Amino acid sequence: MITNTAPNIIFGGDYFPEQWPEETWKEDIRLMKQAKVNMVSIGIFAWALLQPDEDTFTFGWLDRIMDMLADNGIDVCLGTATAAQPNWLTQKYDDILFVRESGERVACGSRQTYCINSPSYRKAIRRLAKEMALHYKGHRALKLWHINNEYANKNSMCFCKNCEKGFQKWLKAKYKTLDNLNECWGTVYWSEKYFDWDQINTPRASAGGRNATKLLDYKRFLSESFFSLYMEERSVIREITPDIPITTNFESDWSKFDHFLFKDHLDVASLNFYPDPGNPDSYKWAALRHAMMRSLLGKPFMVMEQAPSQVDWYPVNTTKPPGVMRLWSYQALAHGSDSIMFFQWRASKKGTEKYHSGMVPHYGENSRVFKEIRALGNELKKVKNVAGTTVESKVAILLDNDSWWSVDSPYGHGTKSLDNEVFWSANSQPFPTVLVSYFSELEYYFNAFHDLNVPVDVIGIDYDFSKYKIVVAPLLHMVKPGFKESVEKFVGNGGTFITTYFTGFIDEHVGVFLGGYLGPLKDVLGVEVEEYDPLPLEGKNVIKMAAELDGFKKEYGCTVWCDVIHTTTAKTLATFGEDYYAGFPCFTENQLGSGKAYYLATRPDEEFMRAFVRKILADQGIRAPQLPEGIELVTRSKNRKNFDFYLNHGDTETEVKLAEGKHEDLLTGTIHEGTLTLARYGVSILRKTT
Ligand code: GAL
């Protein structure tokens, strides 16, 4: 259980009482009680009100609302208020604002304008965290700490002098000697050799392509800086309030820093998720983000924010039609969340985000949105036993930020516009193609399993693989020391390992593996890659099956990329049908111990993916329930008790076949046998009774 908040599923949202007169607070409490809100996150952006100048702390208003909430049985997730520093602080210290790659210091006037390595900012947040923790230690309402807010949302890259100094120090600790750094970075190229640590600047845009190892190291340095920034606050708070769990809310975009760095220092992982209601596939998008959060700590996570209806930052912000907020909330529970929380409680009257929906919209309590919120809050007591249960996945997809940053450089390889025009700027990093995208490839593989209702965890490359039967490593461009051994052990013990084109090109220092790409993974896959051929935008090749294989057709299409490969010990299951490498293998299988390792030298079409995923699931004895399009089934369980979440993301009423026996719907109490009819956007949570 995340906290002892009753009745177990946490329900509430970000609450900004400071935006409203105190008379409104009473009204808020009345409506929160109606909606069965049991936790709110407060204080998140209140720094200026909590500390109007360097030597004054003013907790009076926060005390009053904390007491009111406690008196009404509503728990508090207390924000440390550090994501938006007050103007007086920014103006007093000239190192606070972050510096863009162009060299321009950002102006104050928004949130997240701070530099993560600013000593003045770090000193100020430690002090604020200490004052808050001392002040609220033992408060009845305090159940959870929420540090900062969405790290890196706006300030993911800074190029200031403090970051430069920090980078030099970080490099010294990592490489020890300049000779070593010069060797690892390959600075012999283009006369880049460094003779003094002070000569190493931040890798800002230059006349053209830049040193790729330096770029990656800078990204790694900033990533670790985010983690150490979190630890600045966490250590202070932990010492003063050791019994209160601590979290920070992550965005659903994990490209900005390595989230796995946080894994041993979060008591609960928290997610903000904002799928686009205008996109019919948004539920697949959300399923992957939930899986990432669930897998991070391997236990129930928290949805800290979602929108009650529309947001205000997509180009067009459609509402969530009736039923969708409920459906997506249950989807989060299905995938392992123990909370349903929103941004924000009351839609703002003023300020930047006044067009964003709130649980209490501008229209007030008689609005459709509040009525849906109230209904959901009241319904949740029926599913309280779901809290603390988990999703058991036998399949894992590996996510590696170093590979991600090497494939989709945060410094830009050029981008593809909506109408498929490819842009290439003078500062883009030299690269084989802008048409590969690390995360899209990961998403492609995730969806192939998710479409068959097979749960997938998303884990780091150094996680324990032994609890899984299938491990997929899409586009694992960088192969680091130790990884080959983990894969060999996993496959040797009966696991199925899958990897794709453009994997194993570089080592941890971004040096290319010579004598055949795949480098250290050549043996486990029984394959060597000689050359690669990125395909043009509409370019295609053909996957020709080498022999009849159960469940497969004779031919499929493929796009994006073709590797020209040779097998050593692997069996060729399919070859390319076209181009000068027609007849060369593109889909191989290598037996190692009692397991198998597959290589896909291209991006196969969806039909192939379905056949392939079905085959490996069947080989490993993993169930893939057949359900109509748009129906999602996810099971949470504990001690052999299962909760089957059936979610209808489709547009029409749909009937699904149930497993044998009687199933009780937790939400309605109805007993279902044989089939279940799900209304449009309908949800059923079934527990087998016989
Ligand atoms: C989140 C942020 C919230 C709010 C919300 C609006 O990224 O944490 O404070 O701005 O977006 O959708």
Side-chain angles (χ1 to χ4, degrees):
M1 244 42 93
I2 297 169
T3 63
N4 59 0
T5 298
N8 299 339
I9 298 292
I10 292 174
F11 186 67
D14 283 9
Y15 177 37
F16 300 97
E18 67 272 27
Q19 292 178 12
W20 302 93
E22 295 200 14
E23 306 84 76
T24 311
W25 298 2
K26 288 196 202 103
E27 192 55 13
D28 286 333
I29 300 280
R30 181 179 71 80
L31 295 178
M32 282 178 193
K33 288 176 84 168
Q34 265 190 26
K36 300 282 184 292
V37 164
N38 53 18
M39 182 181 278
V40 288
S41 304
I42 57 178
I44 306 165
F45 297 110
W47 192 343
L49 298 188
L50 297 172
Q51 192 186 5
D53 63 54
E54 190 130 45
D55 302 311
T56 316
F57 288 90
T58 44
F59 291 115
W61 65 274
L62 190 54
D63 293 348
R64 288 196 291 286
I65 188 68
M66 291 271 290
D67 291 348
M68 261 174 95
L69 289 162
D71 291 345
N72 287 281
I74 299 168
D75 291 341
V76 165
C77 162
L78 189 55
T80 58
T82 49
Q85 78 280 6
N87 285 326
W88 62 258
L89 186 76
T90 312
Q91 278 150 16
K92 190 158 180 185
Y93 299 99
D94 60 9
D95 65 332
I96 296 227
L97 297 171
F98 77 86
V99 171
R100 295 188 192 280
E101 197 177 347
S102 62
E104 170 207 11
R105 208 174 264 283
V106 73
C108 60
S110 188
R111 59 180 172 181
Q112 288 182 324
T113 53
Y114 60 85
C115 159
I116 52 177
N117 286 306
S118 153
S120 320
Y121 172 76
R122 285 188 173 224
K123 188 171 163 210
I125 61 169
R126 281 195 305 269
R127 181 154 177 225
L128 179 61
K130 185 172 175 191
E131 292 291 335
M132 288 189 80
L134 287 171
H135 192 84
Y136 290 108
K137 180 182 168 144
H139 194 285
R140 291 169 295 150
L142 176 63
K143 289 292 165 64
L144 184 64
W145 283 105
H146 163 26
I147 291 182
N148 204 285
N149 189 72
E150 279 194 341
Y151 281 119
N153 177 281
K154 290 286 179 286
N155 53 353
S156 64
M157 306 286 277
C158 174
F159 296 85
C160 75
K161 281 288 163 203
N162 279 323
C163 285
E164 189 163 284
K165 284 276 160 256
F167 185 40
Q168 290 163 356
K169 203 167 145 204
W170 184 88
L171 291 170
K172 249 190 232 172
K174 176 168 178 174
Y175 292 102
K176 311 286 188 272
T177 68
L178 275 171
D179 282 349
N180 189 28
L181 175 135
N182 280 312
E183 174 61 29
C184 290
W185 281 17
T187 56
V188 66
Y189 211 83
W190 288 356
S191 198
E192 199 197 342
K193 186 166 178 175
Y194 296 101
F195 298 91
D196 195 312
W197 296 100
D198 289 344
Q199 292 169 352
I200 306 172
N201 59 352
T202 58
R204 287 172 45 194
S206 186
R210 287 161 278 168
N211 184 317
T213 321
K214 181 179 179 183
L215 293 178
L216 184 66
D217 267 346
Y218 195 57
K219 197 64 198 159
R220 288 164 165 163
F221 158 70
L222 291 176
S223 181
E224 288 181 25
S225 302
F226 276 107
F227 173 60
S228 70
L229 186 66
Y230 166 76
M231 290 304 287
E232 297 266 17
E233 291 193 53
R234 180 178 159 101
S235 336
V236 172
I237 290 171
R238 179 50 24 116
E239 205 181 312
I240 301 171
T241 57
D243 301 330
I244 304 293
I246 300 174
T247 191
T248 180
N249 59 343
F250 288 138
E251 279 189 274
S252 50
D253 172 3
W254 281 22
S255 67
K256 294 170 187 164
F257 58 88
D258 181 353
H259 288 58
F260 295 116
L261 292 175
F262 287 66
K263 76 173 191 316
D264 298 328
H265 302 276
L266 287 169
D267 300 311
V268 54
S270 305
L271 163 75
N272 295 351
F273 86 108
Y274 290 98
D276 180 0
N279 179 348
D281 280 340
S282 277
Y283 75 98
K284 298 185 185 181
W285 180 99
L288 170 54
R289 275 73 189 174
H290 294 319
M292 285 153 62
M293 289 316 292
R294 177 186 70 227
S295 320
L296 186 61
L297 305 189
K299 63 179 193 184
F301 65 97
M302 257 185 106
V303 164
M304 183 76 97
E305 290 179 20
Q306 60 168 328
S309 186
Q310 74 253 79
V311 298
D312 56 356
W313 44 261
Y314 279 113
V316 176
N317 295 293
T318 57
T319 50
K320 287 184 180 170
V324 169
M325 180 276 294
R326 174 177 180 266
L327 172 68
W328 289 0
S329 298
Y330 279 119
Q331 188 197 15
L333 290 193
H335 284 279
S337 173
D338 272 3
S339 82
I340 297 176
M341 296 183 82
F342 298 86
F343 176 87
Q344 57 173 319
W345 166 249
R346 195 178 269 282
S348 297
K349 180 173 162 63
K350 294 185 185 152
T352 325
E353 298 181 292
K354 61 182 175 298
Y355 298 116
H356 197 289
S357 57
M359 297 162 80
V360 182
H362 294 138
Y363 190 73
E365 68 182 290
N366 290 324
S367 57
R368 165 185 79 86
V369 170
F370 182 69
K371 287 180 191 159
E372 286 187 41
I373 291 280
R374 188 171 51 202
L376 177 62
N378 279 280
E379 195 177 48
L380 286 179
K381 57 180 174 301
K382 300 180 180 163
V383 298
K384 64 178 197 251
N385 292 337
V386 166
T389 61
T390 49
V391 176
E392 294 295 328
S393 312
K394 291 284 159 229
V395 181
I397 294 194
L398 305 187
L399 189 156
D400 175 44
N401 276 82
D402 281 336
S403 289
W404 193 348
W405 292 328
S406 305
V407 172
D408 306 11
S409 169
Y411 307 85
H413 292 313
T415 46
K416 193 169 66 138
S417 74
L418 281 180
D419 51 1
N420 280 339
E421 200 183 326
V422 175
F423 293 112
W424 187 259
S425 81
N427 264 308
S428 300
Q429 277 301 102
F431 203 66
T433 170
V434 299
L435 301 180
V436 292
S437 150
Y438 178 84
F439 201 76
S440 310
E441 203 64 22
L442 187 149
E443 201 150 24
Y444 193 58
Y445 278 82
F446 179 87
N447 285 342
F449 289 94
H450 177 253
D451 285 350
L452 298 175
N453 297 289
V454 174
V456 178
D457 282 354
V458 181
I459 58 171
I461 49 172
D462 54 356
Y463 275 49
D464 177 13
F465 300 166
S466 65
K467 65 184 239 213
Y468 302 103
K469 291 187 165 179
I470 299 175
V471 168
V472 192
L475 275 179
L476 192 69
H477 194 53
M478 177 181 289
V479 174
K480 289 178 241 187
F483 183 71
K484 162 195 145 155
E485 289 75 13
S486 311
V487 177
E488 272 172 2
K489 191 166 155 207
F490 171 71
V491 179
N493 289 335
T496 301
F497 177 73
I498 298 145
T499 192
T500 71
Y501 69 92
F502 211 25
T503 286
F505 267 54
I506 54 174
D507 63 22
E508 75 276 26
H509 299 303
V510 197
V512 171
F513 290 116
L514 304 180
Y517 309 120
L518 278 179
L521 297 182
K522 282 192 292 199
D523 289 346
V524 82
L525 291 154
V527 164
E528 300 178 345
V529 182
E530 181 183 343
E531 57 174 324
Y532 54 87
D533 186 22
L535 299 180
L537 202 53
E538 306 295 340
K540 285 197 168 63
N541 205 311
V542 173
I543 297 176
K544 281 179 92 161
M545 298 306 292
E548 261 188 37
L549 194 60
D550 252 6
F552 284 78
K553 297 190 317 182
K554 285 197 168 124
E555 275 190 15
Y556 298 90
C558 60
T559 52
V560 181
W561 186 283
C562 300
D563 278 328
V564 182
I565 70 172
H566 308 283
T567 52
T568 50
T569 53
K571 191 159 104 192
T572 299
L573 298 182
T575 55
F576 284 115
E578 287 170 10
D579 221 313
Y580 67 91
Y581 39 86
F584 279 67
C586 64
F587 171 34
T588 62
E589 176 189 276
N590 197 38
Q591 180 85 40
L592 190 85
S594 49
K596 284 176 178 164
Y598 292 91
Y599 189 66
L600 286 155
T602 183
R603 181 188 245 229
D605 65 19
E606 287 184 9
E607 224 185 331
F608 174 94
M609 290 295 282
R610 253 191 309 276
F612 174 53
V613 167
R614 275 192 202 288
K615 170 190 157 41
I616 55 173
L617 288 171
D619 288 351
Q620 285 287 9
I622 301 172
R623 214 169 70 89
Q626 290 268 359
L627 292 171
E629 180 70 25
I631 303 291
E632 191 183 15
L633 166 62
V634 194
T635 301
R636 283 186 72 162
S637 51
K638 195 171 193 174
N639 303 333
R640 303 236 180 98
K641 265 198 203 134
N642 285 355
F643 297 97
D644 294 330
F645 285 69
Y646 286 87
L647 306 145
N648 184 1
H649 299 281
D651 262 350
T652 48
E653 182 181 283
T654 305
E655 190 170 273
V656 295
K657 253 186 95 181
L658 296 176
E660 266 177 38
K662 293 189 171 145
H663 307 257
E664 186 192 351
D665 189 331
L666 259 51
L667 298 175
T668 59
T670 314
I671 305 288
H672 298 278
E673 210 176 343
T675 57
L676 167 74
T677 303
L678 286 157
R680 178 189 195 204
Y681 306 143
V683 177
S684 283
I685 304 169
L686 303 187
R687 211 175 38 190
K688 210 158 181 251
T689 53
T690 55

